[in-house]
């Protein structure tokens, strides 16, 4: 079953689709298995006829988009001879005529479908198609980030077994910590974002590297991100690419972090951050 975070991503994409395309109705859902998507989110609908509808691959317009893994559209849904009509009652109850369906594809796998619709039978132009595709891309990127987050969280749970972990395990944990922190600003759902920050905090303290007598140091989140990249051997330019920042911005964050840590070199900054329990 889709997680709550999926609903946040879908709701955000549907709102964008209506705003950028001018279409009065948008709806969609993610696949529950390889061949079925459930319409879970509606935006602009006047009835609940579409909510909970299970779309099978190959059936109806959305099922066609899922099966072909490409956008599909009809000018008059009920009269179209290019789709099957299992879902006509629900579509008619909502009064939809012109409809576009766009699959959500992550790493070549269809993960969901988004629809935009009009209540009049008119041809949908390129602007509408572009808006629908852009909304689907938003969901794809959010799901890809979520997948990476889950993978990294699983990795850290396996590897963080205490200071006696296997040789090299802590280097993997440190890399996972850096990658997780880099993903935090890209996460849409606030609950997942808080979970990530909590895990990063636990990773930073799990190695027992904090020195009890080390002075209390408070770094801004982006300052920690930059120092984590530096700890992994990244240059300012590489850190900028990883964090989606400008090299000059990275340099500014690093300079500020070094000042707070009382460090004069990049290596001193990393050591001080670990002593302060800010990095694993």
């Amino acid at each position: 079953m889709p997680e709550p975070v999926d609903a946040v991503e879908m709701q955000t994409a549907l709102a964008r689709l209506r705003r950028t395309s001018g279409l009065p109705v948008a709806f969609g859902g993610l696949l529950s298995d390889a061949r079925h998507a459930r319409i879970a989110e509606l935006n602009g609908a006047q009835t609940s006829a579409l909510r909970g509808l299970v779309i099978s691959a190959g059936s109806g317009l959305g099922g066609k988009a899922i099966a072909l893994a490409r956008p599909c559209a009809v000018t008059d849904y009920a009269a179209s001879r290019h789709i099957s009509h299992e879902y006509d009652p629900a579509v008619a109850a909502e009064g939809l005529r012109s409809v576009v369906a766009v699959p959500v594809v992550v790493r070549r796998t269809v993960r969901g479908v988004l629809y935009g619709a009009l209540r009049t039978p008119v041809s949908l132009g390129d602007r509408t198609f572009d808006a629908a595709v852009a909304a689907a891309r938003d969901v794809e990127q959010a799901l890809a980030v979520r997948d990476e987050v889950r993978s990294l969280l699983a990795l850290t749970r396996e590897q963080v077994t205490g200071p006696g972990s296997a040789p090299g395990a802590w280097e993997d944990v440190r890399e996972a910590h850096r990658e997780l922190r880099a993903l935090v600003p890209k996460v849409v759902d606030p609950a997942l974002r808080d979970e990530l920050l909590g895990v990063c905090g636990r990773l930073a303290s799990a190695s027992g590297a904090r020195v009890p007598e080390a002075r209390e140091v408070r770094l801004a989140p982006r300052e920690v991100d930059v120092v984590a990249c530096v700890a992994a051997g990244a240059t300012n330019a590489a850190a900028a690419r990883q964090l989606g920042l400008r090299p000059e911005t990275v340099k500014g964050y690093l300079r500020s972090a070094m000042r707070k840590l009382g460090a004069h070199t990049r290596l001193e900054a990393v050591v001080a951050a670990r002593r302060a329990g800010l990095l694993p």
Side-chain angles (χ1 to χ4, degrees), residues 23-38:
L23 294 174
V25 186
F27 52 101
L30 299 183
L31 270 67
S32 56
D33 57 42
R35 294 187 55 80
H36 300 90
R38 179 178 178 274

Side-chain angles (χ1 to χ4, degrees), residues 7-77:
V8 174
E9 293 154 352
M10 187 64 71
Q11 291 164 3
T12 301
L14 295 179
R16 170 181 173 168
L17 173 54
R18 287 190 66 201
R19 183 177 66 252
T20 57
S21 70
L23 294 174
V25 186
F27 52 101
L30 299 183
L31 270 67
S32 56
D33 57 42
R35 294 187 55 80
H36 300 90
R38 179 178 178 274
I39 304 302
E41 303 300 329
L42 310 176
N43 193 307
Q46 296 177 348
T47 74
S48 60
L50 298 167
R51 187 178 299 279
L53 205 62
V54 176
I55 309 300
S56 299
S59 299
L61 183 67
K64 183 177 180 180
I66 291 171
L68 298 178
R70 63 175 176 80
C72 299
V74 293
T75 299
D76 191 344
Y77 193 100

